[in-house]
Amino acid sequence: MSAKFWRSLLVRTALGVVGISALIGGLVMLSAATEARKVANSEVARRLTELVDTVQNTTSIACFVGDKQLAAELAQGLLRNSEVALVVIRAEGQILAKVGRMSFSDDADELPLGPTHPIVRPVYSPFDATRQIGEITLIPDAQRIGQIVRDEGERIYLILAIQLIAVAAAAVASVLYLIVRPIQRMSDELHRLDATAGQLLPVPVGHERNELGRLAGDINDLAGRLVSTLEDEHALRLQREVDERKFRAIFDNAESGILLTDGSGEVISFNPSFLRLCGLTEGQAPASLKALAWQHGDELLGLIHECADSGRALGGDFLLELADGESRWLSFSFGAVGGGQIQGVVIDVTARKTEEVAARLLAVTDSLTGLGNRAALEQHLGELMGVSGAGFVMLLLDIDGFRRVNESLGLVAGDEVLRQSAYRLRGHLPGAWLARVGADEFAAVLPPGAEADSAAFTALVEAMALPFELHEQPLFLGASIGLVRYPADGTDIPGLLRNADLALERVRREGGQGFRCFEPGMAEQAERRRRMEKDLRLAVQQNELQLYYQPIIDLKENRLAGAEALIRWRHPEQGMISPDVFIPLAEESGMIRDIGLWVLNEASTQLAAWRGAGMDMYVSVNVSVKQIPDDLPAQVVLDTTRSHGIEPDHIALEITEGVLMSDVSHGLAWLESLNQAGFRLYLDDFGTGYSSLSYLKRFPMDTVKVDKSFVRDMSADNNDRALVGAIVMMAKGLGLSTVAEGVETDDQLLLLKALSCRYAQGYLFSKPVPAAEFPALRARINGELALASGM
Ligand code: C2E
Ligand code: CA
Ligand code: CA
């Protein structure tokens, strides 16, 4: 028999069942045989006892009479029973009969002892049932009994054997039908099963709810999982193949060059684009990157080494000289791919590099003037500061009144002014590095070591004051210049620029048209100004402003004609602050609007009171150029004075010639509407600016105020005297009156009278006084004048 047979479940089950049954059967039979023997013995004893009982009476008689013959017959009769081996009958201690199938001695007491017990029954007297007269002894036939027991045992063995066979057969059959067959069927099905086609192992019929059913389910689950794993694996493999093909395609068709090198720059593989980018054809494939004409080949190889050593991704741009003499910027990105190999991706960045250079240039160039811009200035300063020990001078130049050029003449005119300014700068600062750093702000850095030459700066300021030639008319501007020295005035760029700006600011505040070197106190002064600006804002709200009045004398009629209203600021801590200090501040900060409105209103109120009290006079009010036209619209002037019931010709508006110069169209319209409304218009500080009298013809002015600087020097300087005389005469020719300002001496007064100047104003008559003091002052002056004229 084959080993397979012995391993089969069926055979093993059968063997197991038979083995266990045989073991149990053996034990059962063993005990059954003992039991059978016991039963047989007791059965024999019972039967023999019954046998003795049947002969009881006869035996009783035989014993009573001692009849040996009868006893022997009796014993013979008993012996006829096959189970009896020996019969002994005793009476009064004597053996009456002793008959047996076996040989034995006649000795009464000697009885054969076998496996069976003898049956001894007492024999009683036939007349007295209580008196024993003898006894009868039966010895069972041991052989016979053994035979019976044997027969019985064989029967039991037979039954057991039959049982055993039946149990084993039943066990085998159930194993066969319940387990082996279904398993075999499942196994066959499993062989035929195509799980990938979605087939399922059928559950054997009738086993749906037992272990086999579960096993089938488990097998189906497992198969399902296996199938899905297989499918995944398959999809993955497919994807990998696709990827690989794609990668190949990418590699071959990539725009970018792709190459694989070892750590020393030897080329292992590359794609067609790499060749193209290197300007090579197929036959010229390079074995090493070293073989190509790089501008910084060492750096390129260094990059590859580093990438191989550190495993980091690195990159850089390198210039490659091509065979045709052209050159090309290639950008490399390297990454380690394992095994000491480096993968490089290469793209052509020539266009970008060229653009970068252009953009870098553009980013630091002012497109309007072609000079550097602010970024360029900072870069240039940084470079100079980097050179140790190199001191240099930097200046910031600001065009005075440029904003108005842009506003009134337009951006094109503004641009032209800037271009011409750049040209003048270049001409006057040869060798200097120039930039335009703000709308109308230029910077010049003198070559290191060059000294700040005052004469050169003065010449520059003068050059900037020359008229700018625009399409229509010459335009007079000017320039303010702030100077700093490196490293004395600042050791870093922001500090240096800030200090130059402070110096420039100072010039601008002083009226422009000049230059100044930075001084350490300037920062502090600027700070003070900021504080004052804050205080001024409060002053307007807290009524710290006040108007003083200074008489204006009519020299022809010898009487007080009017008064100029002059503003005062009584600072709670600093005392009286001069308008020369805070008016420019108000102009710069825009506060001039509120202050101007307040002045007009205050002066109107005062004049209305005085005129109401019978004082026949006018008041002149200073109007800052900054207020014209928006901060003090003509209509507002009209409304304010009218609200106080004042006639327009009792108010004079003093305007400096700046209004005529900077903002011609707006200024002119403003002047004309006020003139039409009947206000008097005074041209203040005449002679300090650049306007000529003939130029005045275009403006509807009434009166010219000759600046006090001319009046002051009149007595000493013949030129000034002549100038004042010329102004008076020419003004008269234009139908204008003149007021001489700053008249301090009788001398000056006499000269002015001689020159037919109509009006005079100055300390000679009075300083400006508070309104409360004015009526008395007026009365005194008028009295004195009347007295003098009467003389
Ligand atoms: P301004 O309009 O030229 O005023 C004349 C200045 O000369 C006044 O200075 C006056 O006190 C001063 N002064 C008068 N007589 C003499 C004299 O005989 N000798 C000398 N040395 N000076 C004399 P103040 O009051 O300090 O005003 C200075 C400037 O402030 C004014 O110059 C004017 O431009 C401006 N200002 C004054 N009040 C106002 C105002 O209400 N609004 C505006 N926008 N500016 C004002
Ligand atoms: Ca004035
Ligand atoms: Ca003046």
Side-chain angles (χ1 to χ4, degrees):
M1 291 263 171
S2 70
K4 192 179 161 195
F5 173 81
W6 288 112
R7 278 201 301 272
S8 96
L9 203 54
L10 200 59
V11 173
R12 284 186 177 195
T13 311
L15 286 178
V17 169
V18 169
I20 290 170
S21 303
L23 193 71
I24 294 169
L27 290 172
V28 167
M29 271 191 282
L30 222 60
S31 74
T34 317
E35 191 61 26
R37 202 170 293 122
K38 249 193 247 166
V39 168
N41 276 338
S42 67
E43 269 300 295
V44 169
R46 185 184 57 82
R47 272 200 303 275
L48 292 188
T49 306
E50 277 174 11
L51 194 63
V52 173
D53 285 347
T54 57
V55 295
Q56 184 81 37
N57 290 338
T58 319
T59 316
S60 166
I61 293 169
C63 285
F64 192 76
V65 290
D67 186 345
K68 283 190 179 181
Q69 183 66 36
L70 186 61
E73 277 172 20
L74 259 172
Q76 282 295 346
L78 288 169
L79 207 57
R80 267 198 293 274
N81 191 307
S82 63
E83 289 166 350
V84 180
L86 180 68
V87 181
V88 180
I89 300 170
R90 286 192 189 93
E92 307 288 332
Q94 283 183 355
I95 292 175
L96 288 187
K98 187 175 182 179
V99 190
R101 250 185 276 276
M102 45 193 171
S103 55
F104 47 80
S105 72
D106 279 341
D107 184 356
D109 294 329
E110 197 190 312
L111 287 173
L113 287 170
T116 52
H117 299 290
I119 295 156
V120 182
R121 299 290 297 251
V123 179
Y124 298 97
S125 159
F127 307 106
D128 184 355
T130 58
R131 191 168 75 88
Q132 187 177 352
I133 53 173
E135 71 178 8
I136 181 163
T137 301
L138 283 190
I139 305 292
D141 187 341
Q143 256 181 358
R144 178 78 189 123
I145 290 170
Q147 185 60 48
I148 291 170
V149 167
R150 260 193 308 282
D151 288 351
E152 182 69 6
E154 274 167 12
R155 201 177 53 88
I156 288 171
Y157 283 143
L158 193 70
I159 291 168
L160 270 174
I162 289 167
Q163 268 179 3
L164 213 69
I165 290 165
V167 166
V172 168
S174 38
V175 167
L176 184 67
Y177 283 100
L178 289 177
I179 301 171
V180 176
R181 273 286 177 79
I183 288 179
Q184 265 172 358
R185 264 202 304 277
M186 272 165 68
S187 165
D188 292 346
E189 291 281 0
L190 211 52
H191 279 298
R192 281 197 296 273
L193 187 76
D194 182 2
T196 57
Q199 289 180 356
L200 287 177
L201 178 67
V203 178
V205 180
H207 292 280
E208 291 83 358
R209 289 166 195 278
N210 65 15
E211 289 84 344
L212 279 173
R214 238 177 53 207
L215 180 64
D218 289 348
I219 289 173
N220 278 330
D221 281 353
L222 184 67
R225 281 205 298 277
L226 281 173
V227 167
S228 82
T229 311
L230 272 172
E231 280 169 358
D232 288 352
E233 177 98 11
H234 183 70
L236 217 66
R237 208 172 47 235
L238 218 65
Q239 184 61 42
R240 213 176 296 136
E241 275 169 22
V242 170
D243 284 351
E244 221 164 85
R245 269 204 301 278
K246 248 193 318 205
F247 174 75
R248 252 289 131 201
I250 290 169
F251 184 78
D252 287 340
N253 304 322
E255 269 291 301
S256 313
I258 302 171
L259 77 155
L260 207 62
T261 74
D262 66 6
S264 65
E266 299 297 314
V267 176
I268 298 166
S269 72
F270 53 85
N271 70 348
S273 281
F274 175 70
L275 274 190
R276 183 177 50 75
L277 287 171
C278 292
L280 301 172
T281 54
E282 224 169 306
Q284 302 174 293
S288 167
L289 284 178
K290 288 174 221 168
L292 299 169
W294 303 101
Q295 198 183 48
H296 295 289
D298 292 346
E299 277 177 33
L300 176 61
L301 292 173
L303 211 62
I304 293 175
H305 285 312
E306 201 185 329
C307 185
D309 288 347
S310 67
R312 276 188 302 132
L314 296 168
D317 300 341
F318 296 91
L319 189 66
L320 176 67
E321 310 279 340
L322 302 184
D324 57 7
E326 298 268 310
S327 56
R328 183 176 285 169
W329 276 102
L330 297 182
S331 175
F332 280 85
S333 308
F334 290 115
V337 290
Q341 295 189 347
I342 305 295
Q343 183 186 286
V345 177
V346 192
I347 52 170
D348 184 349
V349 292
T350 312
R352 191 192 75 202
K353 281 277 177 184
T354 321
E355 265 170 34
E356 265 174 22
V357 171
R360 219 176 298 139
L361 209 66
L362 206 67
V364 294
T365 310
D366 170 42
S367 55
L368 181 66
T369 59
L371 304 180
N373 61 10
R374 178 166 276 271
L377 172 66
E378 293 189 4
Q379 195 179 320
H380 183 70
L381 290 176
E383 282 163 13
L384 286 184
M385 288 175 174
V387 182
S388 59
F392 59 87
V393 172
M394 180 185 78
L395 62 86
L396 286 184
L397 178 146
D398 187 88
I399 300 174
D400 301 335
F402 178 78
R403 198 167 55 91
R404 283 170 181 275
V405 178
N406 258 353
E407 283 172 4
S408 58
L409 301 179
L411 293 176
V412 178
D415 286 354
E416 187 51 36
V417 166
L418 290 172
R419 264 193 294 269
Q420 290 185 25
S421 301
Y423 184 76
R424 292 179 195 185
L425 252 175
R426 213 180 270 132
H428 280 82
L429 297 172
W433 186 93
L434 301 177
R436 183 165 75 106
V437 295
D440 61 335
E441 200 168 287
F442 293 87
V445 184
L446 304 190
E451 259 314 300
D453 176 5
S454 295
F457 297 137
T458 309
L460 178 59
V461 170
E462 281 168 1
M464 291 298 290
L466 293 175
F468 285 87
E469 298 301 335
L470 297 181
H471 45 290
E472 218 173 78
Q473 61 190 46
L475 180 67
F476 291 90
L477 295 169
S480 306
I481 296 173
L483 284 164
V484 278
R485 290 184 172 81
Y486 174 82
D489 298 338
T491 50
D492 58 4
I493 296 170
L496 210 57
L497 287 172
R498 195 175 50 238
N499 289 343
D501 213 45
L502 282 171
L504 171 67
E505 191 57 40
R506 172 63 75 82
V507 178
R508 208 190 274 140
R509 245 191 356 264
E510 288 168 350
Q513 301 260 35
F515 70 89
R516 254 184 185 276
C517 295
F518 169 75
E519 289 156 24
M522 283 177 173
E524 202 185 302
Q525 284 160 10
E527 175 56 31
R528 258 210 311 279
R529 269 171 54 79
R530 257 195 301 283
R531 266 207 308 275
M532 187 179 282
E533 201 178 297
K534 217 177 81 197
D535 290 352
L536 182 58
R537 221 172 275 281
L538 282 174
V540 181
Q541 298 159 10
Q542 295 176 346
N543 283 326
E544 286 169 20
L545 300 178
Q546 197 183 348
L547 285 185
Y548 274 38
Y549 295 88
Q550 187 179 35
I552 299 172
I553 313 297
D554 185 338
L555 299 178
K556 193 171 151 202
E557 304 207 337
N558 282 315
R559 60 179 282 267
L560 187 146
E564 179 177 4
L566 291 160
I567 195 166
R568 297 291 177 263
W569 177 15
R570 218 176 275 279
H571 192 280
E573 287 147 30
Q574 295 174 32
M576 200 67 92
I577 297 177
S578 161
D580 284 325
V581 174
F582 72 85
I583 289 295
L585 204 67
E587 288 175 344
E588 281 165 32
S589 60
M591 278 183 278
I592 192 66
R593 176 194 161 87
D594 289 348
I595 292 175
L597 290 172
W598 177 83
V599 168
L600 183 67
N601 192 54
E602 178 72 15
S604 303
T605 311
Q606 192 56 66
L607 181 63
W610 286 337
R611 288 194 67 86
M615 292 161 64
D616 179 23
M617 59 178 286
Y618 70 88
V619 164
S620 73
V621 171
N622 290 284
V623 175
S624 163
V625 175
K626 292 270 163 61
Q627 291 170 266
I628 300 167
D630 296 338
D631 282 357
L632 191 66
Q635 191 58 45
V636 170
V637 180
L638 199 60
D639 291 347
T640 307
T641 50
R642 199 176 276 163
S643 73
H644 291 285
I646 289 169
E647 297 297 319
D649 73 334
H650 292 142
I651 290 282
L653 299 169
E654 298 194 6
I655 307 121
T656 59
E657 58 185 354
V659 73
L660 312 181
M661 310 214 33
S662 54
D663 194 345
V664 182
S665 56
H666 289 130
L668 190 59
W670 188 85
L671 289 169
E672 269 165 358
S673 51
L674 284 168
N675 178 53
Q676 253 151 41
F679 291 94
R680 303 190 201 186
L681 300 173
Y682 283 17
L683 188 64
D684 206 354
D685 300 344
F686 186 79
T688 54
Y690 291 84
S691 51
S692 62
L693 267 179
S694 57
Y695 186 51
L696 270 181
K697 266 191 280 190
R698 303 172 53 192
F699 299 95
M701 309 306 287
D702 297 282
T703 302
V704 171
K705 290 189 88 172
V706 182
D707 191 69
K708 52 182 175 283
S709 59
F710 297 101
V711 176
R712 187 183 57 216
D713 300 331
M714 222 169 40
S715 21
D717 190 327
N718 273 322
N719 274 346
D720 274 352
R721 196 184 310 164
L723 201 63
V724 175
I727 293 170
V728 174
M729 269 173 54
M730 287 179 75
K732 205 171 276 174
L734 289 167
L736 303 173
S737 278
T738 40
V739 178
E741 292 185 312
V743 183
E744 294 182 358
T745 64
D746 290 319
D747 236 19
Q748 289 162 349
L749 183 61
L750 281 174
L751 282 168
L752 287 166
K753 277 181 174 168
L755 291 170
S756 304
C757 177
R758 175 76 189 262
Y759 300 97
Q761 178 187 358
Y763 295 166
L764 179 63
F765 306 102
S766 170
K767 288 198 169 186
V769 298
E773 296 172 22
F774 192 78
L777 175 66
R778 174 175 176 271
R780 181 176 63 78
I781 289 175
N782 274 342
E784 282 172 10
L785 287 173
L787 208 65
S789 65
M791 284 200 309

